């Protein structure tokens, strides 16, 4: 079996399992108590904090353990915004942040705050100039992930941190995906992480707030974890999280080389094995274990089921895997194809033969899904020398399939007007034009849905 979804949750590291089992006998007592059992628990907690702080590159008294990475993000954002409310209520985030950051931004905006989303390029990276231009006099906080969770693109954190520091604005870095690979460079102010992303147990997050950053913890006061993470500490899980972080760091340099070779093999071979595929994300500045591609004319959820039946666990940012039937916000921000999206994220220790078997299975799985979806016939009419394709009521990738079937029926320079009411078409039709060398003219109003106009260029 090939578990290729480490970006969602990595398998428990053997060191984490050992540390968890060992600390169950010593770390059950209240570390705030002065009796023997409490002192033992406190020693374990303090040692774990020191180990995690050394891995992050901060002081132990700057780091607290939270019940999850999401809680660390929400606590960090709320605390800095509250601590700097006299400066202003402007929050900056990149357009491809994890949903935990974007949800916190939505809550801030709903409460009367201002939010700016900094756009990214087609590879998924922000520009330093874009961040610089978005800074304002009332900016209280800026947020930028160290690397993207869907496509693996690394962000220019050190450069952005320098710009923010010069402007007197703290930068919060969501380092959930990258912390197992190494420290986050740059003069950042706040950092968050999540243990289950690097092979630790679930239910443990990290929140680091540098000394000098104005921070006001929100919610009822609590004496634990500097008042920033209320509730009794799960000491065995915390010990396991710190131990596994140290263990994966010891392996990271060598494993990064090996996994980068495996993902590069996928990046290079998939477009040759499967027609009409777009590999997305930065080809160079990316995490070692993540590679993402999108397949034209494929329903993402169906493809994931087919791969699961073949023994491979992968994930998708495709609109078709979401109950909301809207495209992934990451893929939308990048302006790339969303349909038939597959994210392969290899855990530590992935065998090369598993990757080879995946490459053997993938073409047949994609072909099978395309065959199932190829049946719908496009309803086309000609109006004012424009070929009209009625795809109303049909979910992507069907509108794109029907466009592909009829584009050859118009002369070069001729127009095709696709009527569609699936939100994913707004992203996938322009992406198809980019891939196929056709000209996307734009949108036009329609009685129902939206009309997407394409000019045949070749």
């Amino acid at each position: 079996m090939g578990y290729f979804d480490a970006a969602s949750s990595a398998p428990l590291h053997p060191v984490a399992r050992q540390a968890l089992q060992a600390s169950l006998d010593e770390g059950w007592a209240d570390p705030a108590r002065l009796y023997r059992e409490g002192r033992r628990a406190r020693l374990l907690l303090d040692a774990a904090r020191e180990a995690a702080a050394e891995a992050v590159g901060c002081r132990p008294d700057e780091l607290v353990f939270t019940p999850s990475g999401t809680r660390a993000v929400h606590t960090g954002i709320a605390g800095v915004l509250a601590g700097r409310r006299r400066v202003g209520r402007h929050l900056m985030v990149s357009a491809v942040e994890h949903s935990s950051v974007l949800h916190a931004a939505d809550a801030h905006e709903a409460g009367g705050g201002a939010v700016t989303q900094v756009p990214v390029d087609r590879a998924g990276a922000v520009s330093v100039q874009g961040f610089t231009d978005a800074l304002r006099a009332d900016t209280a906080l800026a947020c930028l992930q160290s690397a993207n969770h869907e496509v693996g693109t690394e962000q220019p954190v050190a450069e952005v941190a320098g710009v923010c520091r010069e402007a007197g604005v703290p930068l919060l870095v969501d380092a959930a995906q990258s912390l197992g690979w190494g420290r986050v460079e740059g003069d950042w102010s706040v950092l968050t992480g999540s243990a289950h992303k690097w092979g630790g147990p679930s239910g443990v997050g990290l929140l680091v707030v540098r000394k000098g950053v104005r921070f006001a913890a929100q919610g009822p006061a609590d004496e634990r974890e500097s008042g920033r993470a209320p509730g009794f500490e799960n000491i065995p899980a915390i010990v396991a999280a710190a131990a596994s972080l140290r263990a994966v760091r010891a392996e990271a340099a060598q494993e990064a080389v090996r996994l980068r070779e495996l993902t590069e093999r996928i990046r290079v071979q998939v477009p040759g094995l499967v027609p009409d595929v777009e590999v997305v994300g930065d080809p160079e500045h990316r995490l070692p274990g993540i590679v993402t591609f999108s397949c034209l004319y494929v329903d993402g959820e169906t493809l994931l089921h087919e791969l699961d039946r073949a023994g491979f666990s992968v994930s998708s940012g495709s609109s078709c895997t979401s109950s909301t039937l809207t495209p992934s916000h990451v893929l939308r921000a990048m302006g790339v194809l969303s349909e038939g999206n597959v994210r392969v994220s290899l855990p530590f220790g992935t065998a090369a033969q598993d990757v080879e078997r995946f490459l053997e299975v993938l073409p047949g799985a994609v072909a099978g899904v395309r065959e199932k979806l190829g049946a719908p016939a496009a309803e086309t009419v000609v109006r004012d020398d424009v070929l009209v394709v009625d795809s109303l009521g049909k979910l992507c990738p069907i509108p794109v399939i029907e466009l592909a079937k009829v584009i050859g029926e118009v002369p070069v320079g001729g127009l095709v007007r696709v009527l569609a009411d699936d939100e994913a078409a707004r992203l996938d039709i322009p992406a198809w034009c980019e891939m196929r060398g056709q000209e996307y003219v734009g949108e036009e109003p329609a009685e129902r849905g939206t009309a997407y106009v394409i000019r045949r260029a070749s």
Side-chain angles (χ1 to χ4, degrees), residues 138-388:
D138 63 339
T139 301
L141 175 65
C143 300
L144 180 63
Q145 59 190 189
S146 54
N148 187 258
H149 50 292
E150 287 193 24
V151 300
T153 297
E154 294 176 325
Q155 302 291 356
V157 172
E159 294 85 349
V160 169
V163 168
C164 289
R165 178 67 66 180
E166 186 175 345
V169 175
L171 177 68
L172 182 149
V173 179
D174 171 16
Q177 291 295 335
S178 72
L179 207 50
W181 295 107
R183 291 182 178 181
V184 176
E185 300 299 328
D187 198 9
W188 47 265
S189 301
V190 183
L191 180 140
T192 63
S194 187
H196 73 102
K197 301 291 189 181
W198 65 67
S202 58
V204 180
L206 301 179
L207 171 62
V208 179
V209 181
R210 296 282 199 191
K211 294 296 182 183
V213 177
R214 290 188 176 275
F215 189 96
Q218 300 301 286
D222 192 282
E223 70 275 9
R224 297 183 185 275
E225 293 300 294
S226 305
R228 294 173 183 172
F232 197 95
E233 298 94 341
N234 185 348
I235 294 177
I238 288 172
V239 170
S244 58
L245 180 56
R246 176 179 287 180
V248 298
R249 282 289 188 82
E251 308 164 3
Q254 182 175 354
E255 189 67 359
V257 173
R258 200 179 67 85
L259 291 187
R260 202 175 288 279
E261 290 176 353
L262 293 179
T263 53
E264 186 63 23
R265 191 175 306 175
I266 296 173
R267 288 183 64 89
V268 171
Q269 291 195 24
V270 165
L273 294 170
V274 181
D276 298 317
V277 164
E278 181 179 15
V279 180
V280 300
D282 195 293
E284 299 293 335
H285 304 290
R286 58 185 175 88
L287 292 175
I290 297 180
V291 57
T292 305
F293 54 89
S294 298
C295 308
L296 273 173
Y297 322 132
V298 169
D299 171 86
E301 186 173 12
T302 304
L303 179 56
L304 262 58
H305 285 315
E306 290 297 317
L307 291 172
D308 183 39
R309 289 173 57 189
F312 293 97
S313 302
V314 299
S315 64
S316 173
S318 170
S319 61
C320 300
T321 64
S322 169
S323 59
T324 60
L325 294 178
T326 56
S328 152
H329 72 276
V330 172
L331 302 177
R332 185 194 307 119
M334 293 168 61
V336 298
L337 185 69
S338 74
E339 64 187 64
N341 179 260
V342 174
R343 179 187 68 183
V344 173
S345 49
L346 306 179
F348 276 49
T350 297
Q353 55 264 36
D354 287 342
V355 172
E356 290 301 326
R357 192 166 68 85
F358 173 77
L359 291 171
E360 293 174 2
V361 166
L362 181 67
V366 173
V369 175
R370 284 176 172 167
E371 184 177 358
K372 292 177 183 177
L373 294 174
E379 299 176 13
T380 60
V381 295
V382 178
R383 299 176 187 166
D384 300 325
D385 296 326
V386 178
L387 191 63
V388 179

Side-chain angles (χ1 to χ4, degrees), residues 379-392 410 415-419 444-448 451:
E379 299 176 13
T380 60
V381 295
V382 178
R383 299 176 187 166
D384 300 325
D385 296 326
V386 178
L387 191 63
V388 179
V389 179
D390 187 354
S391 293
L392 293 169
V410 299
L415 297 177
V416 178
R417 195 167 182 258
V418 180
L419 302 177
E444 291 181 353
E447 292 182 6
R448 287 181 54 206

Side-chain angles (χ1 to χ4, degrees), residues 83-104:
R84 287 174 49 84
R85 58 185 174 272
R86 291 185 179 179
V87 173
R89 302 197 65 197
H90 179 230
L91 171 66
M92 290 171 50
V93 300
S94 85
V96 293
E97 293 298 309
H98 187 268
S99 59
S100 61
V101 174
L102 299 183
H103 290 162

